[in-house]
Amino acid sequence: MMRSGEHRIAGSMRTPNFELELLPDDAGWDFSGLRILRLSAGAQHTFDTMEHEVIVLPQSGSATVSVDGELFELEGRDGVFAGVSDFVYAPRDSRVTIKSTSGGRFALPSAHARRRLPARHQAAANTPVELRGAGDCSRQLVNFCTPDTFEADRIIAVEAYVPHGNWATFPPHKHDVEADGETALEEIYYYEIADGPAGPGMCYQRVYASDERPIDVLAEVRTGDVVLIPHGWHGPSMAVPGYHAYFLNVMAGAGAERAWKICEDPSHAWVRDTWTDEPVDPRLPLPGFDAANVGANEDWGR
């Protein structure tokens, strides 16, 4: 039988303090977590990170963040489709207070951490934007917390943008075993879909088994939905015509090395060879993103 709960509907993970609260125990795994905090104008929220390292990433709005009394100003953004945001990293065993003068929504991706690193702020201008794939398999990644872009203990987190009509994360890939060229990572997909003139949009997510561990997801996802990927091939993430898609990926695993190494499904990897002379979708980068800070991926993303 398939594990239950891989696709979780917006609102099903609401708690008294959070619009979405998904900790490792809630997901049935050990490391990756995500919370979404909504603050009204002038409100604040305080929490202890305990054994988790936590990132404070504005989805909309700005804030002042205190980490054990050290203050950081988050400029934030108007929304996830408005551009890159700055963020604050809070280490394990710290107390965090988020206060927003004008109100906003804040993603709090997290991971069970072994080391306690310093609290830090990273400006949006220092976060690289990367274009991956080609043609209708093109997408845009904001690599704000990868092993190559930001020091952390376990957490890896990126934002992905898929222009309407495109198929992202194709060929499908996996990262569910520790092996040569692959790392075992639990992954969360948190979605926001651009609205259309007549209302909310949607997209689709596919996950299927790579070995004897069953998993079978073909989900219609909407803003606020989450897809959990404990193992298996995942992809494509399909943005339907008319609606750009955004997803926040949160990953962490038990490996000694903090790395994001993947293995592609050999049944579909041949598709990559058809991209040799095909350009990246000319709609990328999306409006609001500084083209001067955008680079093309030279590794598995192309």
Side-chain angles (χ1 to χ4, degrees):
M1 292 291 291
M2 182 187 73
R3 276 182 39 160
S4 63
E6 266 70 29
H7 175 214
R8 302 198 181 182
I9 304 298
S12 66
M13 297 159 286
R14 187 182 301 274
T15 64
N17 291 322
F18 297 99
E19 191 171 280
L20 179 157
E21 185 167 28
L22 179 69
L23 299 178
D25 285 349
D26 303 317
W29 57 34
D30 298 314
F31 301 104
S32 299
L34 175 65
R35 288 173 287 184
I36 303 292
L37 174 68
R38 183 184 292 274
L39 292 176
S40 58
Q44 68 179 44
H45 180 74
T46 298
F47 64 94
D48 295 314
T49 62
M50 297 186 288
E51 70 271 23
H52 304 282
E53 55 186 347
V54 178
I55 290 170
V56 182
L57 176 71
Q59 301 290 84
S60 64
S62 58
T64 299
V65 180
S66 168
V67 182
D68 292 331
E70 185 177 1
L71 295 180
F72 303 93
E73 295 296 330
L74 278 175
E75 183 177 345
R77 54 187 168 182
D78 292 335
V80 296
F81 291 101
V84 179
S85 179
D86 54 347
F87 66 91
V88 169
Y89 171 89
R92 63 168 293 159
D93 303 315
S94 59
R95 171 155 287 197
V96 178
T97 297
I98 305 169
K99 181 175 182 179
S100 180
T101 300
S102 57
R105 293 174 67 252
F106 304 91
L108 308 175
S110 63
H112 191 284
R114 300 157 291 196
R115 299 180 296 152
R116 191 175 195 275
L117 298 171
R120 282 157 287 148
H121 170 268
Q122 175 148 298
N126 294 332
T127 296
V129 177
E130 173 189 332
L131 305 184
R132 288 187 175 176
D136 58 9
C137 288
S138 303
R139 69 274 197 200
Q140 168 183 316
L141 262 66
V142 177
N143 293 321
F144 68 93
C145 186
T146 70
D148 295 331
T149 64
F150 189 83
E151 183 185 10
D153 182 59
R154 275 197 174 110
I155 191 169
I156 299 171
V158 301
E159 296 178 297
Y161 294 83
V162 189
H164 67 80
N166 280 13
W167 294 50
T169 318
F170 198 84
H173 69 272
K174 72 180 183 77
H175 39 70
D176 58 13
V177 296
E178 289 292 327
D180 185 27
E182 184 176 352
T183 48
L185 298 168
E186 308 159 348
E187 185 165 18
I188 299 168
Y189 274 62
Y190 167 79
Y191 278 91
E192 293 197 19
I193 313 300
D195 289 341
M202 61 187 178
C203 70
Y204 291 87
Q205 171 73 55
R206 179 75 171 118
V207 188
Y208 57 98
S210 58
D211 52 25
E212 69 278 2
R213 294 172 292 178
I215 187 169
D216 187 4
V217 178
L218 177 55
E220 179 180 299
V221 294
R222 297 178 181 268
T223 293
D225 285 8
V226 164
V227 175
L228 303 179
I229 303 173
H231 55 261
W233 305 113
H234 42 288
S237 300
M238 298 162 275
V240 303
Y243 303 93
H244 293 328
Y246 160 95
F247 46 91
L248 170 62
N249 293 138
V250 184
M251 293 169 276
E257 179 187 12
R258 177 178 173 246
W260 184 12
K261 299 177 182 178
I262 65 98
C263 174
E264 290 186 336
D265 185 342
S267 297
H268 304 293
W270 65 269
V271 172
R272 185 178 302 284
D273 294 335
T274 68
W275 300 346
T276 304
D277 299 317
E278 191 169 3
V280 172
D281 190 318
R283 294 175 293 173
L284 295 175
L286 294 178
F289 293 83
D290 183 4
N293 198 33
V294 173
N297 180 268
E298 299 298 332
D299 299 316
W300 63 271
R302 175 72 185 170

